[in-house]
Structure formats: C-alpha cells, structure tokens
Amino acid sequence: MDTPDALIMLNAHSHAALIAAACRRIETAQTPPGLNELAAEAGLSPHHFHRLFKAETGLTPKAYASAHQARRMRTELAGTGTITDAIFEAGYNANSRFYEKAGERLGMRPSDYRAGGANTDIRFAVGQCSLGAILVAGSARGICAISLGDDPDALVRGLQDQFPRARLIGADAGFEQWVAQVVGLVETPALGLSLPLDVRGTAFQERVWRALRDIPPGTTTTYAEVAQRIGMPGAVRAVAGACAANNLAVAIPCHRVVRSDGSLSGYRWGVARKQVLIEREAAQAAA
C-alpha cells in the first residue's frame, strides 16, 4: 500500500511529466496551441492546467510560448533569409503580430537585432568593486549586462562582441546611479536590486534564471535541485548551461548553484569570485 508521501511523490512526477509534454508540444508546434487545447491533451480543466503549468515552469503557457517564439526568432534572424521569412519560420502567422512585440522580446527592432544591435543605444560604465573591475550596461529596457573581471578593457570588448554594431555610450550621471546600485548589490546582496533587468534568453534559460532569483542570499542549491524546481529533473546539464549563459552577474545569482557534493563548479567570472560571493553572503546572513 502506498504511503501518503509516496502518493505525493507520484503525483509530483506525474504533474512534471504532463507539463514537460506540454512544453514539448509548444516548442514543436508551428503555431502555439491555445490553453484549452493544451489542457485537453493533458486531461485537465483549463484552470487547473494553467495553475499547474505556472507552478512547474514559473511561466504561464502563453508566456512560455512567447519566450520560445522569441528564441526561434533570434535563431532565424541569425540566418540568411529575409526578416519576413524569419517571422513566419518562428511561428508568427502575421507580420503585425510579431512587430507588436518585437521591441519587448528582442530589445530592439528586428533589423537592428540582425545587424548586431545597429541603431540601438546601450549605456555602460566600468568601475571597481571588491571583486575587481565591474561593467554595467543598460538598454532602454533595463540592465542588460553585468560583468566582472580583472581587465576593464576586456570587459568592454566583451560588451562590444555581444552588441557589435550598437552605439555604446559612456554613462551619464543618471546611469552612474544605476552602477552604484549594482555595486551595492555585489557588496551586500541581501539589499536586493530594484532596477529593471533586460533579460534575453531562451524559454528554458528564462525558467532557470527565474528559479535562481528565488534562491535566498546566504544559501546555495545544486544544479539537480534547480532542475527539480523547474519540473525537469533530467535537465541537470542544461541547467548548468543556462547558468553559464547568464549575462547578469549577481543580479541573476548563478553563483549560488553548486555541485551535488557541495563543491564549486565553473563560474564565467572566476571560481574565486564565486567562493567570495558565497562566503560573503553566508557571513552577512549569519550576522
């Protein structure tokens, strides 16, 4: 006879499997299926399915589909076809539907995205913090890059590689206040960050990054635990890849994720910085 705990575990696995199947359905459909269609395929009422989907992924079905379409659009824009071809290949059934959301999903016009950020203004500043050099960059939507390193020039070159044709503009007094807030976050993570973030990733990456932002300062979790939290327990390597793709150091706290044995894994801004951040946060939480 199954124990109550065993039944709860069984239901959790069943729910995760249903939502994983719905995610695959959304990702493989040429036109995103509607809520009623997805719920019927899962054998649930639309209300129950909607609530379960958001609980498992952190996104509504509509938001998940929009994020996946944006990822497909970025992939298609990187190709050699026309922008119109890319729009339809990404699953938008009309140009107007895509252009209504283009700035929100890409952070810029599609032609500018394809051109490496051409005609886009990105403000940035490089300063110093206790972890070394820090670069903070922002688009019209919010902070789009926070990088740490030893060489300020290398950080600027990295930003240029990310947006090779954008107009990189030195910080004004207003943006310097943003930089000060980011530095404050690095020094005292428990304060949090109230600034808007310009987060651009695949649907899966955005699910992982949402989960990372729920990890409290002073604590760590494992890649396997993050995979469980997003309802995809078999996606441990993919979770690690999403952490490595994070462009917003500390604001999206990928440094709080460690291996299953508690040891530190790679960190794009240096394992030594990861250790300092974890130890600092633990000390501040204990104080």
Side-chain angles (χ1 to χ4, degrees):
M1 181 176 179
D2 289 331
T3 65
D5 286 345
L7 290 174
I8 291 172
M9 185 74 71
L10 181 62
N11 286 336
H13 285 307
S14 176
H15 290 165
L18 283 175
I19 299 308
C23 290
R24 288 193 295 269
R25 174 79 168 83
I26 293 170
E27 292 166 2
T28 57
Q30 184 61 32
T31 300
L35 174 61
N36 290 341
E37 183 180 349
L38 290 168
E41 291 176 358
L44 302 172
S45 70
H47 175 75
H48 186 193
F49 175 81
H50 187 277
R51 181 168 56 83
L52 185 61
F53 192 99
K54 186 171 183 180
E56 291 285 338
T57 68
L59 299 170
T60 65
K62 183 176 181 180
Y64 185 91
S66 296
H68 179 69
Q69 276 191 310
R71 181 194 65 78
R72 289 175 63 185
M73 188 67 205
R74 287 190 289 266
T75 300
E76 294 296 335
L77 284 172
T80 58
T82 66
I83 290 177
T84 297
D85 289 340
I87 290 171
F88 284 97
E89 284 297 323
Y92 295 92
N93 55 24
N95 284 21
S96 58
R97 288 190 58 210
F98 168 72
Y99 280 103
E100 286 172 1
K101 298 290 185 179
E104 176 183 338
R105 299 308 308 172
L106 298 177
M108 60 193 76
R109 294 182 305 175
S111 57
D112 297 340
Y113 183 92
R114 165 167 280 180
N119 303 317
T120 300
D121 291 342
I122 294 179
R123 293 180 295 166
F124 78 98
V126 178
Q128 288 290 319
C129 66
S130 62
L131 297 177
I134 183 170
L135 178 143
V136 181
S139 69
R141 292 177 58 193
I143 299 293
C144 62
I146 302 173
S147 301
L148 301 166
D150 298 316
D151 182 354
D153 290 337
L155 297 182
V156 175
R157 290 195 298 271
L159 182 65
Q160 291 172 328
D161 290 341
Q162 186 177 354
F163 299 104
R165 296 187 61 190
R167 288 187 292 265
L168 301 184
I169 302 172
D172 54 22
F175 192 74
E176 290 286 359
Q177 295 178 4
W178 282 25
V179 176
Q181 289 189 51
V182 173
V183 172
L185 175 71
V186 172
E187 307 301 339
T188 312
L191 293 177
L193 186 67
S194 60
L195 297 174
L197 300 182
D198 182 356
V199 179
R200 306 175 193 179
T202 67
F204 178 83
Q205 287 171 339
E206 291 186 13
R207 289 165 65 190
V208 172
W209 296 340
R210 284 172 184 264
L212 299 186
R213 297 187 73 188
D214 289 336
I215 305 170
T219 64
T220 60
T221 190
T222 67
Y223 297 103
E225 288 168 344
V226 174
Q228 290 280 357
R229 290 184 188 185
I230 65 171
M232 301 184 71
V236 177
R237 288 188 178 181
V239 166
C243 290
N246 173 29
N247 288 317
L248 293 162
V250 187
I252 296 179
C254 56
H255 62 276
R256 295 176 191 155
V257 187
V258 299
R259 293 193 178 106
S260 295
D261 63 2
S263 63
L264 302 187
S265 57
Y267 186 55
R268 69 182 297 177
W269 297 288
V271 174
R273 289 188 177 89
K274 180 171 186 172
Q275 184 168 1
V276 170
L277 284 167
I278 290 174
E279 292 176 350
R280 174 183 296 164
E281 291 180 3
Q284 292 175 355

